[in-house]
Amino acid sequence: MSGVAVSPLDRLERFFLRVVTHPTGVDEGVRAATAEGLLPHGARRLEDVIPGNDRLSALEQLHIYGFAYFDRIVEVLAGEMPAVQHLLGERVFAEAMKRYLAEHPSSTWTLDRVGAAAPQWLAEQGEEDGTLWRVAADVAAVQQAMDAVWNEPFEDPVPYARLAAVPMEEWAGARVQLIPAVRLLALSYPVTEVMNAARDQGEVVLPAAAPSWMCVYRDDTARWRFALDRPQFVLLSALARGNSLADALAEVLELADVQPAQLLGDLGGWFERWFGNGLVSAVHITPEGAPPPAP
Amino acid sequence: MNRFGLPDLGLGVGLRVPHFSRVLEGPTRVDWFEVISENFMATEGRPMRVLEQVRRDYPVVLHGVSMSIGSTDPLDMDYLAALRRLADRIDVAWMGDHVCWTGVAGRNGHDLYPVPYTEESLAHVVERIKVVQGVLGRPLVLENPSTYLGFASDCMSEVEWIARMADESDCALLLDVNNVYVTCRNHGLDPMQYLRDVPWDRVVQNHLAGHTDHGTHCIDTHDDHVCDAVWELYGWVQKHTGGIATLLEWDGNIPDFDVLEDEVARCREWR
């Protein structure tokens, strides 16, 4: 917490929040807040601030708020990252998220941002073999992407015919505009099977580390994910940045293991699938080398 | 009728994600919906599309949890601006929050923390309500909280403090009947006396909900049916006032929509 309390009300609120959000519980919170000089003016002990009653002591009353603080936010994080909870198990997940919350307390009005740093934080856990935690980090990143696309605005998708109708001579300069409700993820583990197992409440087998790529998107009513290979990821990412088809394909061809003939053979099928999924909201035809159209 | 001229909307329920599809299918046996403001303030996606579709068929009320009207931190003007935009866009019947604070010194606990009932806190909150009402361009509807502790510095009862707050700031009130019951149980107070002291001409809405009774205390959990004692209090309120828009809250262990509709049907028996 920042600043210095300036009024009795301010001091009381700072004392209260310090106590009920203390990571090891309100008992330690009272000791910490007292040692830090947060006890309201004129008070020498907790009961001078919160008298309690004949059924519950002041500490027991504070426990209600202390329990609710962690319980509520861990519940929110579990709702945001259910596959991470399944992977780690309820108890480990709850303990981990309490530690996370102690290091990343919320400073905004929305609970949607409380878990923003969780993927990075999870990746840093686990001292010797951190595989479980690094997989959890990737799963968390996918689930946060699924939350993000849920809240993106709608744009009507266009059919593959729109791209197919582009004249050959203008094809290289065409730009394919993705809908806002799409995220492209580069991961350290192939987590599709982990997420499927979590969705089906099945047993999780930890995958070996391997660079992996995924597309997450939302259509009219539901969220979806599918794995990409590296050329697909590079191509879609380049298109998402507003590059022309020619420039995007040039990026793909810079990859060591991509052969031009193979790429050209695959391309039609890729685009057919992506358009079919509703990932594309416009095809802009501009001269090659011209800047992309304003959004 | 309340002094703000706000209508009795009838009986509503909270609009929650598990019920989106069912509500859109329609018809339902409820008259209106309340939404948690914060769930719709930062989205242009599926939640907003659903809300706009629901609004075509029902009145909608915004009920927030993050205004933190009792905090000593400065009011979050970006938050208030976003709230105003949402209210205008949805053309809400009214909008409100809670008599509480949710954080201080830049930290947010995301809970409804109790305000000490002192002259200092009263003056502080009254001034903030006036600012908020100016930004929102409408009366703010504030709800009495469920509280689990009192402060040694309290110098008046909760209902006296809230009545003075409403009078001095000219705000409206949401009287949560379950919260009255829970708070009175937790502090050894008489809920009927609480209700008799409410300034009813400022009350535009009631809440009903289930709670968890731990024997030594009650917790406002919103995860069960309304208990008989709360129904009795609600019956008194409706008879005393001639009818107030009522919202059934159910936020934990959310049941199928028809269970909510059945509970709403029970409300009708008390009106």
Side-chain angles (χ1 to χ4, degrees), chain A:
Chain A
M1 289 191 281
S2 59
V4 177
V6 295
S7 70
L9 179 61
D10 191 34
R11 194 164 173 130
L12 179 65
E13 290 183 351
R14 286 167 187 256
F15 173 79
F16 186 99
L17 193 66
R18 180 76 173 105
V19 170
V20 301
T21 61
H22 196 280
T24 58
V26 298
D27 305 66
E28 188 54 39
V30 171
R31 279 190 282 276
T34 303
E36 291 162 16
L38 290 172
L39 209 58
H41 292 298
R44 293 192 301 174
R45 58 195 185 106
L46 174 62
E47 288 69 20
D48 294 335
V49 184
I50 298 165
N53 61 31
D54 58 354
R55 283 160 288 129
L56 294 178
S57 69
L59 264 181
E60 288 169 328
Q61 291 177 329
L62 283 167
H63 268 295
I64 297 171
Y65 291 99
F67 178 78
Y69 171 69
F70 288 105
D71 193 50
R72 171 176 294 104
I73 299 182
V74 168
E75 186 181 335
V76 166
L77 292 169
E80 187 178 301
M81 302 178 287
V84 178
Q85 185 187 40
H86 183 83
L87 176 64
L88 297 179
E90 278 191 33
R91 187 185 59 79
V92 173
F93 178 81
E95 291 304 318
M97 290 300 100
K98 284 181 185 177
R99 294 200 309 277
Y100 166 76
L101 198 52
E103 293 177 33
H104 297 275
S106 176
S107 59
T108 70
W109 56 266
T110 175
L111 277 164
D112 288 349
R113 293 181 212 145
V114 174
Q120 180 63 38
W121 185 88
L122 286 164
E124 294 163 357
Q125 307 306 303
E127 290 174 358
E128 291 178 5
D129 179 9
T131 301
L132 174 68
W133 297 93
R134 288 194 293 272
V135 171
D138 275 1
V139 171
V142 174
Q143 298 216 286
Q144 291 196 348
M146 297 190 87
D147 259 11
V149 299
W150 187 243
N151 290 307
E152 290 287 4
F154 286 82
E155 279 185 12
D156 291 333
V158 296
Y160 178 61
R162 191 71 61 86
L163 183 66
V166 174
M168 186 61 74
E169 63 274 17
E170 297 187 86
W171 202 85
R175 289 180 164 82
V176 170
Q177 180 179 312
L178 302 187
I179 59 171
V182 63
R183 294 291 185 276
L184 303 166
L185 303 167
L187 306 166
S188 303
Y189 290 83
V191 294
T192 295
E193 293 307 318
V194 173
M195 299 196 66
N196 289 347
R199 178 196 61 204
D200 301 335
Q201 296 293 299
E203 189 177 343
V204 173
V205 178
L206 287 181
S212 304
W213 302 271
M214 188 173 284
C215 176
V216 171
Y217 72 102
R218 185 210 64 223
D219 60 18
D220 263 7
T221 59
R223 290 168 279 192
W224 306 93
R225 57 180 158 79
F226 61 86
L228 300 167
D229 61 25
R230 192 170 181 214
Q232 291 171 327
F233 174 80
V234 170
L235 177 57
L236 272 174
S237 298
L239 295 172
R241 292 195 302 272
N243 287 311
S244 68
L245 279 169
D247 290 343
L249 287 171
E251 276 193 44
V252 179
L253 287 168
E254 285 174 15
L255 299 175
D257 53 349
V258 173
Q259 303 303 317
Q262 179 69 42
L263 175 61
L264 289 176
D266 290 339
L267 210 50
W270 294 356
F271 276 121
E272 247 185 300
R273 178 180 184 191
W274 297 338
F275 276 77
N277 289 337
L279 298 186
V280 179
S281 60
V283 176
H284 301 286
I285 300 173
T286 52
E288 198 175 351

Side-chain angles (χ1 to χ4, degrees), chain B residues 116-147:
Chain B
Y117 298 125
T118 63
E119 294 290 347
E120 180 201 16
S121 67
L122 181 63
H124 176 73
V125 169
V126 164
E127 284 311 306
R128 285 162 71 92
I129 294 171
K130 289 177 181 173
V131 173
V132 168
Q133 292 185 142
V135 174
L136 299 181
R138 352 163 126 71
L140 182 62
V141 182
L142 285 174
E143 174 182 345
N144 59 299
S146 279
T147 61

